[in-house]
Amino acid sequence: MAYQTIDVKPIAGALGAEILGVDLSRDLGNQEFDEIHQAFLDHKALCFHEQDLSPEHQVALASRFGQPDIYPFIKALPDVPEVIEILKTERDTVNFGGGWHSDTSYLPQPAMGTFLHALEVPDSGGDTMFANMQLAYETLSATMKGMIDGLVGVNSSAQNYKGGRAKKMKELDGMKDKFIDSSEISIAEHPVVRTHPETGKKGLFVSRAHTTNFKGMTVEESEPLINFLSDYAVRPEFTCRIRWRPGTLVVWDNRCTQHFALNDYNGQRRRMHRVTLRGDRPA
Ligand code: OGA
Ligand code: MN
């Protein structure tokens, strides 16, 4: 599509684009918003550098795309309940989001999109990778597609954290005080092949991080295929990598991507603000 109000520069073959010429702290005009939204559907992860955005601005921006949601496991900023802080301090060795996943896929209505705004970033390291789940699905063999088309994945909030989410969160020096230990494990069943409600395209919706097994199959039976699909889906040619600067805002579509926060900057500090959007029931 030809864009008139924004400049769209793809950053990889698979997905991801940098958007130039936009100040997100202003109210976006309708055409400008429509073009950004189209770019979001086309490129799946959009990167805007040098954005001076307050938490309130970030929520207002997210509200143009959908309904900002409350994240169940981390206390929000005191005055802005839709914004959580993702912080890795100089003392932390574990990070948040350090495994391939799609946000909150263990909820009945997983997050549709996520807006992450960088406040403090390491001199180098701390990049985030994204992978295109539609490209991954499309490139599977017809026989494999036939095998997985009807499968349902069981997704659990406890899966990523063998030994418990609480134990893992307590290892995060920067975030442990904000952790909400509901001790409730959230489990949701979703199709392994998900149809994007806006583009109609099919994509994989399965990950080692959250999928424990396929419905009607044991963990032992499911694991080899979960592992194959999870690894296949993040082959280098299906990914892009975003290098953050202070002020970078990235918005990604959790319905057709996974992401991975690199943990390669021990001894340095990284601080972000995050807003997620309420999603639909995957189908
Ligand atoms: C997230 C997440 C990635 C990052 O906020 O959902 O996974 O790079 N973070 O911090
Ligand atoms: Mn995440």
Side-chain angles (χ1 to χ4, degrees), residues 163-237:
R165 184 172 280 264
K167 180 164 167 276
K168 167 89 172 195
M169 290 303 300
K170 281 170 192 150
E171 289 173 32
L172 302 181
D173 180 67
M175 296 172 73
K176 61 177 189 275
D177 298 337
K178 306 267 171 57
F179 177 58
I180 302 169
D181 187 3
S182 65
S183 69
E184 247 171 60
I185 295 173
S186 176
I187 295 176
E189 294 179 354
H190 298 306
V192 166
V193 180
R194 174 177 190 182
T195 303
H196 194 290
E198 293 184 80
T199 65
K201 285 195 183 169
K202 287 179 169 185
L204 289 174
F205 197 62
V206 59
S207 69
R208 262 206 190 84
H210 295 156
T211 314
T212 55
N213 62 292
F214 301 116
K215 189 176 176 184
M217 290 171 68
T218 65
V219 169
E220 201 179 11
E221 288 169 339
S222 309
E223 244 170 17
L225 188 50
I226 292 173
N227 289 342
F228 166 73
L229 293 170
S230 303
D231 292 340
Y232 182 78
V234 300
R235 282 170 67 151
E237 63 269 34

Side-chain angles (χ1 to χ4, degrees), residues 5-247:
T5 60
I6 59 173
D7 215 355
V8 179
K9 299 251 183 289
I11 60 169
L15 81 166
E18 187 177 334
I19 308 295
L20 298 145
V22 180
D23 175 357
L24 295 172
S25 68
R26 287 185 300 106
D27 280 344
L28 299 173
N30 286 338
Q31 186 182 355
E32 202 177 10
F33 173 74
D34 288 347
E35 291 189 357
I36 292 172
H37 189 253
Q38 190 57 49
F40 170 72
L41 294 178
D42 289 345
H43 298 280
K44 303 176 177 61
L46 302 182
C47 175
F48 304 79
H49 289 300
E50 279 145 38
Q51 300 294 324
D52 185 9
L53 276 183
S54 68
E56 290 83 359
H57 274 136
Q58 195 180 341
V59 176
L61 171 67
S63 303
R64 291 293 294 268
F65 284 74
Q67 170 71 52
D69 213 348
I70 307 290
Y71 182 63
F73 294 112
I74 297 177
K75 276 190 209 125
L77 301 188
D79 302 323
V80 194
E82 302 91 347
V83 178
I84 62 167
E85 185 175 84
I86 311 285
L87 170 63
K88 184 173 187 264
T89 70
E90 295 83 343
R91 290 175 300 283
D92 271 310
T93 54
V94 183
N95 73 334
F96 181 86
W100 283 104
H101 66 284
S102 175
D103 287 331
T104 63
S105 64
Y106 46 75
L107 295 179
Q109 292 178 235
M112 179 259 260
T114 303
F115 294 74
L116 197 60
H117 186 226
L119 302 170
E120 297 172 62
V121 300
D123 294 334
S124 62
D127 295 357
T128 305
M129 295 193 67
F130 294 86
N132 180 340
M133 293 302 109
Q134 293 170 346
L135 194 53
Y137 174 75
E138 285 158 15
T139 53
L140 291 169
S141 67
T143 305
M144 176 59 85
K145 284 181 188 154
M147 278 170 59
I148 64 174
D149 264 337
L151 284 181
V152 171
V154 180
N155 300 284
S156 166
S157 60
Q159 167 73 358
N160 203 11
Y161 305 107
K162 309 235 157 71
R165 184 172 280 264
K167 180 164 167 276
K168 167 89 172 195
M169 290 303 300
K170 281 170 192 150
E171 289 173 32
L172 302 181
D173 180 67
M175 296 172 73
K176 61 177 189 275
D177 298 337
K178 306 267 171 57
F179 177 58
I180 302 169
D181 187 3
S182 65
S183 69
E184 247 171 60
I185 295 173
S186 176
I187 295 176
E189 294 179 354
H190 298 306
V192 166
V193 180
R194 174 177 190 182
T195 303
H196 194 290
E198 293 184 80
T199 65
K201 285 195 183 169
K202 287 179 169 185
L204 289 174
F205 197 62
V206 59
S207 69
R208 262 206 190 84
H210 295 156
T211 314
T212 55
N213 62 292
F214 301 116
K215 189 176 176 184
M217 290 171 68
T218 65
V219 169
E220 201 179 11
E221 288 169 339
S222 309
E223 244 170 17
L225 188 50
I226 292 173
N227 289 342
F228 166 73
L229 293 170
S230 303
D231 292 340
Y232 182 78
V234 300
R235 282 170 67 151
E237 63 269 34
F238 302 149
T239 70
C240 71
R241 177 168 177 148
I242 286 178
R243 169 97 196 95
W244 301 88
R245 306 178 207 156

